[in-house]
């Protein structure tokens, strides 16, 4: 069965610093991977997704993620964090076999300090 | 294009009552999925509706049910509410064209508080 692990519950970075959020997945075949962001009291906004092809994926708001099959990872990066990036970030893997649902990690809460 | 809308946004109920939440998908999207988000269990898949039929179901008790209408709008119902049902309920829509790994677009959620 698919599963996602986000090892960091909470990360604090200074504004302008670089960011990397970790995500590891468990699935035998090529996974469909997503990163979503959730601001307090809001729904989930899609940042980027990986289905196949180029392993470096560009998303919105200056985010990118790299799929590494050998490490079963899909880490999210941003070169320079802005205060508005403070939110909770969720990595997810798509179900296979005709199902349409997502399996989410537990999330990483990002705090940005000025 | 309008996004996924959910009503109501906030709801307070008491134990034993039932509740109905509504979700309108993005225009042209035929699949609606529901998720429950709690601090303890995180984001968990409830069920998916496509073409007015439940296509997939998560591991939730039968008190949780849903339906989808011909215009793709969906409702979910929780009967005999328990304190543990307090959560943010998120609805997501997708086109469901048959391809794998379709993107799901989420609504703002309905926050349910059970007292």
């Amino acid at each position: 069965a698919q599963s996602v692990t986000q090892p960091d519950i909470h990360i604090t970075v200074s504004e302008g610093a670089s960011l990397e959020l970790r995500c590891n997945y468990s699935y035998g075949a090529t996974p469909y991977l997503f990163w979503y962001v959730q601001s307090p009291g809001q729904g989930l906004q899609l940042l980027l997704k990986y289905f196949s092809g180029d392993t470096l994926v560009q998303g919105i708001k200056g985010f990118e993620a790299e799929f590494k099959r050998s490490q079963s990872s899909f880490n999210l990066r941003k070169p320079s964090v802005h205060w508005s990036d403070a939110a909770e970030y969720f990595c997810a893997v798509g179900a296979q076999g005709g199902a349409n649902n997502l399996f989410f990690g537990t999330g990483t809460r990002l705090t940005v300090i000025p | 294009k309008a996004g996924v809308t959910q009503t109501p946004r906030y709801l307070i109920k008491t134990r034993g009552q039932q509740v109905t939440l509504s979700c309108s998908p993005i225009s042209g999207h035929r699949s609606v999925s529901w998720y429950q988000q709690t601090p303890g269990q995180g984001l968990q898949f409830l069920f998916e509706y496509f073409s007015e039929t439940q296509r997939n179901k998560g591991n939730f008790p039968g008190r949780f049910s849903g339906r989808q209408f011909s215009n793709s709008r969906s409702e979910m119902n929780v009967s005999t509410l328990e304190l543990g049902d307090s959560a943010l309920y998120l609805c997501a829509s997708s086109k469901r064209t048959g391809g794998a790994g379709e993107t799901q677009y989420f609504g703002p959620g309905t926050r349910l508080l059970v007292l």
Side-chain angles (χ1 to χ4, degrees):
Chain A
Q2 297 98 318
S3 68
V4 173
T5 301
Q6 293 181 249
D8 303 307
I9 296 173
H10 185 204
I11 283 183
T12 300
V13 300
S14 298
E15 191 168 16
S18 63
L19 172 70
E20 182 168 29
L21 302 182
R22 296 184 290 165
C23 171
N24 293 96
Y25 66 90
S26 173
Y27 185 66
T30 299
Y32 306 111
L33 295 162
F34 305 81
W35 274 100
Y36 285 89
V37 61
Q38 184 178 38
S39 298
Q42 301 299 313
L44 301 172
Q45 181 183 22
L46 178 69
L47 286 175
L48 47 79
K49 59 187 179 185
Y50 172 79
F51 287 176
S52 63
D54 193 349
T55 56
L56 185 62
V57 180
Q58 301 297 321
I60 63 170
K61 304 185 179 185
F63 286 93
E64 67 177 27
E66 186 170 13
F67 171 64
K68 292 185 177 180
R69 184 187 300 277
S70 62
Q71 298 177 19
S72 297
S73 69
F74 188 56
N75 294 349
L76 182 71
R77 301 193 296 245
K78 186 169 184 178
S80 178
V81 170
H82 188 261
W83 63 266
S84 60
D85 294 324
E88 187 139 23
Y89 291 79
F90 292 92
C91 182
V93 63
Q96 300 284 333
N100 198 33
N101 57 291
L102 298 173
F103 295 93
F104 285 90
T106 50
T108 298
R109 185 160 63 92
L110 174 65
T111 297
V112 180
I113 56 177
Chain B
K1 187 185 270 191
V4 178
T5 58
Q6 293 187 244
T7 56
R9 291 293 309 277
Y10 303 93
L11 208 48
I12 300 176
K13 292 285 188 179
T14 56
R15 279 180 298 173
Q17 287 187 310
Q18 75 166 16
V19 67
T20 299
L21 312 181
S22 180
C23 172
S24 292
I26 292 171
S27 178
H29 286 195
R30 300 192 298 161
S31 166
V32 173
S33 297
W34 290 89
Y35 294 80
Q36 181 196 64
Q37 184 178 24
T38 60
Q41 299 299 316
L43 280 152
Q44 294 185 287
F45 170 72
L46 281 155
F47 32 64
E48 180 204 3
Y49 283 85
F50 174 66
S51 292
E52 302 177 60
T53 304
Q54 188 181 92
R55 297 299 174 128
N56 193 12
K57 191 178 190 306
N59 188 25
F60 278 82
R63 300 185 297 107
F64 291 83
S65 63
R67 60 177 176 168
Q68 187 180 34
F69 303 94
S70 58
N71 62 356
S72 295
R73 189 177 71 84
S74 176
E75 289 181 348
M76 69 163 279
N77 183 273
V78 188
S79 62
T80 321
L81 283 166
E82 301 177 358
L83 296 180
D85 297 332
S86 295
L88 181 66
Y89 290 88
L90 293 164
C91 165
S93 78
S94 65
K95 291 182 180 179
R96 223 21 166 129
T97 56
E102 288 195 8
T103 300
Q104 297 200 12
Y105 297 89
F106 286 80
T110 294
R111 184 164 297 281
L112 171 65
L113 177 61
V114 182
L115 301 176

